[in-house]
Amino acid sequence: MDDQYTVFLIGGDDNERAVFSLRDEGDDCHLRCEYRDNVIERSATDYFQALCDIRARLADEGLIPFCYGSSLNVYPSGMARDMGQGLKAYKLTLGEQVKMADLVNIFAEGPDVVPSSVERQERFFREWIAAL
């Protein structure tokens, strides 16, 4: 897989964007983020984890990618991570089970994206599980 996604960066200049390039490397998912004159590359067992690792570095510069993978209430299931390389995740609502209609591409954007830190997103996921 050699896909690319262009994503707006919150906290940067108006219309500032990053380009995310995906590449499979054996069992690893390699993600490259190009923004400004910088490059961050991470490999992980799935693309969602690689995106989280890159987001942690971007946060040091006050930047958050505006996409579902960075949204407070979006998180992949174990199956989405294992079988779909973490490219899709579910929009979560506290107290509700997810449905297929809740599945989104982690690099897509929509009006319901709630930009979040990795830590806050993980905390919301744990709260969602506890509320079921």
Side-chain angles (χ1 to χ4, degrees):
M1 167 185 310
D2 282 349
D3 291 337
Q4 278 193 340
Y5 297 92
T6 301
V7 175
F8 284 103
L9 290 175
I10 295 177
D13 295 334
D14 288 346
N15 295 321
E16 187 168 356
R17 301 166 193 243
V19 175
F20 289 91
S21 303
L22 291 66
R23 186 177 72 245
D24 293 344
E25 293 183 341
D27 290 339
D28 287 337
C29 298
H30 184 81
L31 186 60
R32 177 184 174 97
C33 174
E34 297 178 55
Y35 68 105
R36 298 177 180 163
D37 290 326
N38 300 314
V39 174
I40 303 171
E41 297 185 78
R42 292 291 182 268
S43 291
T45 55
D46 62 68
Y47 286 109
F48 182 78
Q49 184 60 54
L51 177 60
C52 288
D53 295 345
I54 288 174
R55 287 170 54 206
R57 282 280 314 278
L58 289 172
D60 292 341
E61 296 181 52
L63 301 172
I64 300 174
F66 187 76
C67 60
Y68 283 116
S70 297
S71 187
L72 176 70
N73 62 332
V74 173
Y75 212 85
S77 67
M79 183 179 286
R81 295 181 96 160
D82 292 342
M83 300 189 70
Q85 297 180 301
L87 286 171
K88 296 207 178 212
Y90 287 98
K91 291 190 275 184
L92 309 174
T93 303
L94 288 176
E96 294 183 21
Q97 291 283 345
V98 293
K99 309 174 282 309
M100 288 300 290
D102 298 324
L103 204 56
V104 292
N105 181 306
I106 64 171
F107 293 101
E109 66 178 63
D112 52 351
V113 168
V114 180
S116 171
S117 68
V118 173
E119 295 80 18
R120 285 186 59 220
Q121 185 182 34
E122 290 173 351
R123 187 168 49 242
F124 184 90
F125 177 64
R126 289 190 302 273
E127 290 171 5
W128 175 79
I129 290 173
L132 291 179

